[in-house]
Amino acid sequence: MAFTEFRTLDEKSLVEYIKATPALSDKIGNNFDDLKIKEVGDGNLNFVYIVVSPAGSFVIKQAIPYVRCIGESWPMTKERAYFEALALREHGRLCPENVPEVYHFDRTMSVIGMRYLEPPHIILRKGLIAGIEYPLLAEHISDYMAKTLYHTSLLYRTTTEHKHDVAEFCGNVELCRLTEQVVFSDPYKVSDFNRCTSPYLDHDAEAVREDDILKLEVAELKSKFCERAQALVHGDLHTGSVMVTRESTQVIDPEFAFYGPMGFDIGAFIGNLILAFYAQDGHADQGNDRKTYKEWILRTIKETWSLFYKKFTALWDEHKDGSGEAYLPGIYNKPELHQLVQRKFMQDLFHDTLGFGAAKMIRRIVGVAHVEDFESITDASKRAQCERPALNLAKMLLKERRNFQSIDEVVSAIQQLQ
């Protein structure tokens, strides 16, 4: 059976596909008798199969030409698999400890074969709902963000190298357009796709649509998202795109990857931690009021930014006389000048992070795709009580982000708005 043109794989044809692909059949020791295959795609877009044999394992991810959770009425390019494989390989090269290895990519079939993150790895979002602490999370995610964002920016590279890669990733326009719609447009207008915890949040959703200052600020963030090719961003770095154990942190699913503003990744991650914080009261019970867990989440938010700042600026210091063309050493040759530009850059990045993080929070409460943190709170009025302060904080952060000088001030604001 030849796989020379695209077709959607099922468990039966997947076995044939593996047989025809040495890079995959070698991983399971060519043993097809004791093969276990399980479809686990719980996301919105793709089919995901776990393939396990006594000799080895891998995951197969296939992009199909429409949005899986909606159906063929919402077409979606399967070329996204190409950009996902490209980003996994590039980010994996820069931070191999926190990105699963790619074993195989087939552009015709839109199939990626990669490392299976075996149990006890779970999706971070599910761990946050369950109230599990991950002592190394901030350490690992800050490592991933500092290494991937720094090394794909002009702080490290020449404009020639940078433009070449920007041009390549411009091909991922369809997924960028999806983000433009669901993050920067739909929540601010009447749209069939929007939903909220009705009737409780109907007024709140309307207030978002009527807030002119909010719309002014969102336009600026959208413009940055569309125009600022700062670094190779993951493009969808929420807590559902990270798999964890207490010792391991693995970033998956970069199919939205493109050259965009660094703050979009950092903000996505921190914004989703803030959502997890506000959802905790909905998951508290007699046995656990979640108070200490909420403190852990706030500590993790602080550490994520602080460690990122430290690691990113350390990489910058280390390579300041390298081939990066943003700040040429012949011009930025005094230590105090180096510090001046670095401080300004990091402050702007901090404000971008808060803005994008807030935009991501808003769309998860009044837009099309919500988060399990809130959705798993079955009592709708209770859920709305958790969502409302999160929405209010996000609106405030988005409009007043430039007034915040430190992550500590942000955490204080979160604590006050409960």
Side-chain angles (χ1 to χ4, degrees):
M1 184 187 294
F3 294 89
T4 50
E5 56 187 53
F6 178 84
R7 57 196 164 103
T8 305
L9 291 169
D10 55 22
E11 292 193 16
K12 193 161 170 262
S13 55
L14 177 56
V15 173
E16 296 308 313
Y17 184 81
I18 295 166
K19 284 180 175 166
T21 313
L24 297 175
S25 52
D26 289 354
K27 284 274 169 221
I28 52 166
N30 288 294
N31 176 354
F32 290 89
D33 298 331
D34 307 308
L35 208 54
K36 288 190 175 60
I37 297 177
K38 188 178 168 199
E39 209 280 315
V40 294
D42 64 351
N44 299 324
L45 297 177
N46 311 289
F47 283 96
V48 180
Y49 295 95
I50 296 170
V51 181
V52 178
S53 84
S57 61
F58 52 82
V59 162
I60 291 291
K61 183 170 178 179
Q62 184 178 39
I64 49 175
Y66 53 87
V67 176
R68 179 180 176 179
C69 66
I70 289 176
E72 301 191 21
S73 63
W74 190 333
M76 172 62 56
T77 176
K78 60 188 191 330
E79 269 297 279
R80 61 185 186 269
Y82 169 73
F83 295 103
E84 175 166 10
L86 218 52
L88 280 169
R89 284 180 167 149
E90 178 68 358
H91 285 169
R93 187 177 65 76
L94 297 169
C95 192
E97 309 79 22
N98 303 112
V99 180
E101 186 186 346
V102 174
Y103 303 142
H104 167 74
F105 174 63
D106 177 342
R107 196 166 183 176
T108 304
M109 287 287 289
S110 300
V111 163
I112 304 174
M114 66 186 111
R115 177 189 160 194
Y116 168 43
L117 299 168
E118 62 294 328
H121 279 95
I122 59 166
I123 296 286
L124 172 58
R125 193 182 299 285
K126 293 187 185 297
L128 294 167
I129 293 167
I132 304 167
E133 291 187 16
Y134 296 99
L136 298 173
L137 178 61
E139 184 68 63
H140 289 163
I141 207 77
S142 59
D143 235 22
Y144 167 83
M145 295 190 306
K147 286 173 178 166
T148 58
L149 297 174
Y150 175 79
H151 289 108
T152 57
S153 78
L154 288 174
L155 296 173
Y156 182 72
R157 306 166 78 206
T158 67
T159 53
T160 311
E161 297 165 323
H162 188 74
K163 282 277 197 293
H164 173 272
D165 287 359
V166 170
E168 175 85 273
F169 274 92
C170 277
N172 207 11
V173 55
E174 205 170 314
L175 268 72
C176 287
R177 284 183 61 80
L178 181 56
T179 303
E180 289 158 31
Q181 179 188 335
V182 300
V183 177
F184 301 109
S185 302
D186 282 352
Y188 305 94
K189 63 189 181 75
V190 174
S191 161
D192 293 342
F193 296 114
N194 289 344
R195 57 188 185 83
C196 68
T197 303
S198 195
Y200 306 100
L201 291 186
D202 289 355
H203 179 71
D204 303 73
E206 187 188 1
V208 170
R209 297 194 297 269
E210 301 299 319
D211 191 328
D212 289 353
I213 305 299
L214 197 61
K215 289 178 175 180
L216 193 70
E217 292 298 340
V218 163
E220 189 175 325
L221 290 167
K222 181 179 182 178
S223 147
K224 274 193 174 158
F225 178 85
C226 297
E227 297 156 2
R228 182 133 209 236
Q230 200 175 21
L232 177 58
V233 297
H234 176 287
D236 201 26
L237 192 56
H238 55 78
T239 50
S241 296
V242 182
M243 293 194 75
V244 286
T245 67
R246 284 178 65 84
E247 293 79 35
S248 162
T249 306
Q250 302 291 322
V251 178
I252 59 170
D253 292 354
E255 61 200 339
F256 284 81
F258 76 112
Y259 271 77
M262 297 179 185
F264 192 72
D265 272 3
I266 314 165
F269 188 76
I270 289 177
N272 274 263
L273 286 180
I274 300 173
L275 291 177
F277 172 86
Y278 282 110
Q280 290 305 314
D281 288 358
H283 300 297
D285 53 36
Q286 283 81 28
N288 184 351
D289 63 9
R290 297 283 178 116
K291 290 261 192 300
T292 54
Y293 193 61
K294 285 167 77 173
E295 284 165 19
W296 175 79
I297 295 178
L298 293 180
R299 269 204 314 280
T300 302
I301 290 167
K302 274 188 193 181
E303 285 172 13
T304 298
W305 173 259
S306 308
L307 289 169
F308 168 78
Y309 188 109
K310 194 177 108 187
K311 292 168 184 182
F312 189 91
T313 52
L315 284 168
W316 187 345
D317 293 343
E318 182 190 343
H319 298 287
K320 69 176 192 294
D321 298 320
S323 51
E325 292 188 342
Y327 299 100
L328 297 171
I331 303 170
Y332 301 91
N333 47 10
K334 298 195 302 250
E336 57 273 30
L337 179 56
H338 171 68
Q339 281 199 306
L340 197 63
V341 295
Q342 196 173 73
R343 263 206 303 275
K344 166 112 175 63
F345 183 98
M346 296 308 286
Q347 185 179 46
D348 290 345
L349 179 51
F350 182 59
H351 293 154
D352 283 359
T353 295
L354 299 183
F356 287 122
K360 300 280 268 183
M361 290 173 67
I362 291 168
R363 75 89 162 208
R364 293 296 195 178
I365 299 169
V366 299
V368 56
H370 288 218
V371 288
E372 199 185 329
D373 310 65
F374 290 132
E375 296 294 289
S376 56
I377 302 166
T378 44
D379 177 340
S381 86
K382 180 93 183 132
R383 184 191 321 138
Q385 280 176 340
C386 296
E387 289 176 316
R388 185 172 287 115
L391 183 59
N392 289 336
L393 177 98
K395 282 162 42 175
M396 183 274 290
L397 266 187
L398 210 153
K399 292 189 278 193
E400 299 175 27
R401 64 189 183 278
R402 295 173 199 83
N403 300 339
F404 288 87
Q405 300 308 312
S406 72
I407 194 69
D408 289 5
E409 290 172 17
V410 175
V411 168
S412 296
I414 297 168
Q415 285 168 313
Q416 277 155 26
L417 246 173
Q418 281 191 66

